[in-house]
PDB file of all heavy atoms in Angstrom:
ATOM      1  N   MET A 105      10.056 -16.622  -7.036  1.00  0.00           N
ATOM      2  CA  MET A 105       8.647 -16.458  -7.164  1.00  0.00           C
ATOM      3  C   MET A 105       8.229 -16.764  -8.619  1.00  0.00           C
ATOM      4  O   MET A 105       7.193 -17.471  -8.793  1.00  0.00           O
ATOM      5  CB  MET A 105       8.316 -15.043  -6.787  1.00  0.00           C
ATOM      6  CG  MET A 105       6.826 -14.691  -6.915  1.00  0.00           C
ATOM      7  SD  MET A 105       5.821 -15.584  -5.618  1.00  0.00           S
ATOM      8  CE  MET A 105       5.913 -14.382  -4.341  1.00  0.00           C
ATOM      9  N   ALA A 106       9.007 -16.316  -9.545  1.00  0.00           N
ATOM     10  CA  ALA A 106       8.584 -16.500 -10.964  1.00  0.00           C
ATOM     11  C   ALA A 106       8.589 -18.036 -11.202  1.00  0.00           C
ATOM     12  O   ALA A 106       7.657 -18.591 -11.827  1.00  0.00           O
ATOM     13  CB  ALA A 106       9.574 -15.830 -11.827  1.00  0.00           C
ATOM     14  N   ALA A 107       9.571 -18.802 -10.727  1.00  0.00           N
ATOM     15  CA  ALA A 107       9.644 -20.220 -10.935  1.00  0.00           C
ATOM     16  C   ALA A 107       8.500 -20.902 -10.284  1.00  0.00           C
ATOM     17  O   ALA A 107       7.825 -21.802 -10.875  1.00  0.00           O
ATOM     18  CB  ALA A 107      10.959 -20.777 -10.446  1.00  0.00           C
ATOM     19  N   ALA A 108       8.190 -20.557  -9.109  1.00  0.00           N
ATOM     20  CA  ALA A 108       7.124 -21.251  -8.318  1.00  0.00           C
ATOM     21  C   ALA A 108       5.666 -21.006  -8.990  1.00  0.00           C
ATOM     22  O   ALA A 108       4.870 -21.896  -9.058  1.00  0.00           O
ATOM     23  CB  ALA A 108       7.111 -20.802  -6.904  1.00  0.00           C
ATOM     24  N   LEU A 109       5.462 -19.769  -9.373  1.00  0.00           N
ATOM     25  CA  LEU A 109       4.217 -19.423  -9.975  1.00  0.00           C
ATOM     26  C   LEU A 109       3.949 -20.069 -11.312  1.00  0.00           C
ATOM     27  O   LEU A 109       2.866 -20.509 -11.656  1.00  0.00           O
ATOM     28  CB  LEU A 109       4.017 -17.929 -10.094  1.00  0.00           C
ATOM     29  CG  LEU A 109       3.811 -17.151  -8.690  1.00  0.00           C
ATOM     30  CD1 LEU A 109       3.662 -15.622  -8.994  1.00  0.00           C
ATOM     31  CD2 LEU A 109       2.760 -17.708  -7.869  1.00  0.00           C
ATOM     32  N   GLU A 110       5.093 -20.181 -12.059  1.00  0.00           N
ATOM     33  CA  GLU A 110       4.915 -20.893 -13.321  1.00  0.00           C
ATOM     34  C   GLU A 110       4.590 -22.323 -13.086  1.00  0.00           C
ATOM     35  O   GLU A 110       3.713 -22.917 -13.787  1.00  0.00           O
ATOM     36  CB  GLU A 110       6.383 -20.795 -13.972  1.00  0.00           C
ATOM     37  CG  GLU A 110       6.184 -20.793 -15.566  1.00  0.00           C
ATOM     38  CD  GLU A 110       7.051 -21.867 -16.131  1.00  0.00           C
ATOM     39  OE1 GLU A 110       8.003 -22.240 -15.587  1.00  0.00           O
ATOM     40  OE2 GLU A 110       6.669 -22.287 -17.265  1.00  0.00           O
ATOM     41  N   HIS A 111       5.203 -22.873 -12.080  1.00  0.00           N
ATOM     42  CA  HIS A 111       4.881 -24.273 -11.775  1.00  0.00           C
ATOM     43  C   HIS A 111       3.359 -24.462 -11.274  1.00  0.00           C
ATOM     44  O   HIS A 111       2.776 -25.393 -11.672  1.00  0.00           O
ATOM     45  CB  HIS A 111       5.851 -24.794 -10.637  1.00  0.00           C
ATOM     46  CG  HIS A 111       5.867 -26.293 -10.553  1.00  0.00           C
ATOM     47  ND1 HIS A 111       6.682 -27.087 -11.309  1.00  0.00           N
ATOM     48  CD2 HIS A 111       5.193 -27.100  -9.664  1.00  0.00           C
ATOM     49  CE1 HIS A 111       6.471 -28.381 -10.940  1.00  0.00           C
ATOM     50  NE2 HIS A 111       5.660 -28.350  -9.975  1.00  0.00           N
ATOM     51  N   CYS A 112       2.915 -23.445 -10.529  1.00  0.00           N
ATOM     52  CA  CYS A 112       1.490 -23.463 -10.065  1.00  0.00           C
ATOM     53  C   CYS A 112       0.604 -23.515 -11.269  1.00  0.00           C
ATOM     54  O   CYS A 112      -0.366 -24.301 -11.273  1.00  0.00           O
ATOM     55  CB  CYS A 112       1.217 -22.187  -9.279  1.00  0.00           C
ATOM     56  SG  CYS A 112       1.717 -22.248  -7.648  1.00  0.00           S
ATOM     57  N   SER A 113       0.898 -22.694 -12.189  1.00  0.00           N
ATOM     58  CA  SER A 113       0.013 -22.672 -13.396  1.00  0.00           C
ATOM     59  C   SER A 113       0.007 -24.028 -14.110  1.00  0.00           C
ATOM     60  O   SER A 113      -1.050 -24.461 -14.576  1.00  0.00           O
ATOM     61  CB  SER A 113       0.522 -21.571 -14.389  1.00  0.00           C
ATOM     62  OG  SER A 113       0.484 -20.350 -13.781  1.00  0.00           O
ATOM     63  N   ARG A 114       1.178 -24.577 -14.216  1.00  0.00           N
ATOM     64  CA  ARG A 114       1.260 -25.917 -14.866  1.00  0.00           C
ATOM     65  C   ARG A 114       0.425 -26.953 -14.076  1.00  0.00           C
ATOM     66  O   ARG A 114      -0.165 -27.860 -14.692  1.00  0.00           O
ATOM     67  CB  ARG A 114       2.721 -26.397 -14.959  1.00  0.00           C
ATOM     68  CG  ARG A 114       3.324 -26.142 -16.336  1.00  0.00           C
ATOM     69  CD  ARG A 114       4.660 -26.766 -16.487  1.00  0.00           C
ATOM     70  NE  ARG A 114       5.687 -25.889 -15.801  1.00  0.00           N
ATOM     71  CZ  ARG A 114       6.694 -26.326 -15.102  1.00  0.00           C
ATOM     72  NH1 ARG A 114       6.758 -27.606 -14.948  1.00  0.00           N
ATOM     73  NH2 ARG A 114       7.558 -25.531 -14.576  1.00  0.00           N
ATOM     74  N   LEU A 115       0.361 -26.826 -12.760  1.00  0.00           N
ATOM     75  CA  LEU A 115      -0.359 -27.719 -11.971  1.00  0.00           C
ATOM     76  C   LEU A 115      -1.927 -27.412 -11.927  1.00  0.00           C
ATOM     77  O   LEU A 115      -2.659 -28.148 -11.358  1.00  0.00           O
ATOM     78  CB  LEU A 115       0.082 -27.708 -10.482  1.00  0.00           C
ATOM     79  CG  LEU A 115       1.503 -28.227 -10.191  1.00  0.00           C
ATOM     80  CD1 LEU A 115       1.778 -28.121  -8.714  1.00  0.00           C
ATOM     81  CD2 LEU A 115       1.677 -29.728 -10.610  1.00  0.00           C
ATOM     82  N   GLY A 116      -2.229 -26.289 -12.495  1.00  0.00           N
ATOM     83  CA  GLY A 116      -3.662 -25.829 -12.562  1.00  0.00           C
ATOM     84  C   GLY A 116      -4.114 -25.300 -11.230  1.00  0.00           C
ATOM     85  O   GLY A 116      -5.332 -25.186 -10.982  1.00  0.00           O
ATOM     86  N   MET A 117      -3.184 -24.822 -10.326  1.00  0.00           N
ATOM     87  CA  MET A 117      -3.616 -24.181  -9.140  1.00  0.00           C
ATOM     88  C   MET A 117      -4.009 -22.766  -9.481  1.00  0.00           C
ATOM     89  O   MET A 117      -3.286 -22.000 -10.200  1.00  0.00           O
ATOM     90  CB  MET A 117      -2.310 -24.116  -8.275  1.00  0.00           C
ATOM     91  CG  MET A 117      -2.559 -24.309  -6.781  1.00  0.00           C
ATOM     92  SD  MET A 117      -1.030 -24.072  -5.897  1.00  0.00           S
ATOM     93  CE  MET A 117      -0.647 -25.808  -5.516  1.00  0.00           C
ATOM     94  N   ASN A 118      -5.215 -22.343  -9.097  1.00  0.00           N
ATOM     95  CA  ASN A 118      -5.611 -21.070  -9.527  1.00  0.00           C
ATOM     96  C   ASN A 118      -5.729 -19.925  -8.461  1.00  0.00           C
ATOM     97  O   ASN A 118      -6.177 -18.805  -8.740  1.00  0.00           O
ATOM     98  CB  ASN A 118      -7.004 -21.084 -10.340  1.00  0.00           C
ATOM     99  CG  ASN A 118      -7.985 -21.884  -9.533  1.00  0.00           C
ATOM    100  OD1 ASN A 118      -7.882 -21.991  -8.289  1.00  0.00           O
ATOM    101  ND2 ASN A 118      -9.029 -22.381 -10.198  1.00  0.00           N
ATOM    102  N   ARG A 119      -5.236 -20.227  -7.268  1.00  0.00           N
ATOM    103  CA  ARG A 119      -5.205 -19.226  -6.182  1.00  0.00           C
ATOM    104  C   ARG A 119      -4.083 -19.536  -5.239  1.00  0.00           C
ATOM    105  O   ARG A 119      -3.916 -20.701  -4.873  1.00  0.00           O
ATOM    106  CB  ARG A 119      -6.533 -19.321  -5.494  1.00  0.00           C
ATOM    107  CG  ARG A 119      -6.624 -18.489  -4.227  1.00  0.00           C
ATOM    108  CD  ARG A 119      -8.123 -18.126  -3.844  1.00  0.00           C
ATOM    109  NE  ARG A 119      -8.877 -19.292  -3.506  1.00  0.00           N
ATOM    110  CZ  ARG A 119      -9.210 -19.595  -2.224  1.00  0.00           C
ATOM    111  NH1 ARG A 119      -8.977 -18.826  -1.206  1.00  0.00           N
ATOM    112  NH2 ARG A 119     -10.007 -20.580  -2.008  1.00  0.00           N
ATOM    113  N   VAL A 120      -3.333 -18.503  -4.889  1.00  0.00           N
ATOM    114  CA  VAL A 120      -2.220 -18.606  -3.966  1.00  0.00           C
ATOM    115  C   VAL A 120      -2.381 -17.597  -2.838  1.00  0.00           C
ATOM    116  O   VAL A 120      -2.702 -16.421  -3.177  1.00  0.00           O
ATOM    117  CB  VAL A 120      -0.798 -18.465  -4.669  1.00  0.00           C
ATOM    118  CG1 VAL A 120       0.290 -18.565  -3.626  1.00  0.00           C
ATOM    119  CG2 VAL A 120      -0.696 -19.499  -5.812  1.00  0.00           C
ATOM    120  N   GLU A 121      -2.190 -18.062  -1.631  1.00  0.00           N
ATOM    121  CA  GLU A 121      -2.368 -17.087  -0.508  1.00  0.00           C
ATOM    122  C   GLU A 121      -1.132 -17.091   0.414  1.00  0.00           C
ATOM    123  O   GLU A 121      -0.447 -18.131   0.458  1.00  0.00           O
ATOM    124  CB  GLU A 121      -3.615 -17.403   0.316  1.00  0.00           C
ATOM    125  CG  GLU A 121      -4.871 -17.316  -0.552  1.00  0.00           C
ATOM    126  CD  GLU A 121      -6.188 -17.394   0.266  1.00  0.00           C
ATOM    127  OE1 GLU A 121      -6.132 -17.630   1.494  1.00  0.00           O
ATOM    128  OE2 GLU A 121      -7.201 -17.048  -0.286  1.00  0.00           O
ATOM    129  N   LEU A 122      -0.972 -16.046   1.147  1.00  0.00           N
ATOM    130  CA  LEU A 122       0.115 -16.016   2.164  1.00  0.00           C
ATOM    131  C   LEU A 122      -0.239 -15.095   3.238  1.00  0.00           C
ATOM    132  O   LEU A 122      -1.156 -14.176   3.115  1.00  0.00           O
ATOM    133  CB  LEU A 122       1.416 -15.599   1.419  1.00  0.00           C
ATOM    134  CG  LEU A 122       1.313 -14.231   0.682  1.00  0.00           C
ATOM    135  CD1 LEU A 122       1.697 -13.054   1.603  1.00  0.00           C
ATOM    136  CD2 LEU A 122       2.323 -14.248  -0.446  1.00  0.00           C
TER     137      LEU A 122
END
Side-chain angles (χ1 to χ4, degrees):
M105 181 69 88
L109 292 181
E110 209 235 335
H111 197 84
C112 279
S113 298
R114 262 186 281 138
L115 292 179
M117 216 182 256
N118 51 19
R119 173 159 63 109
V120 179
E121 295 193 352
L122 57 87

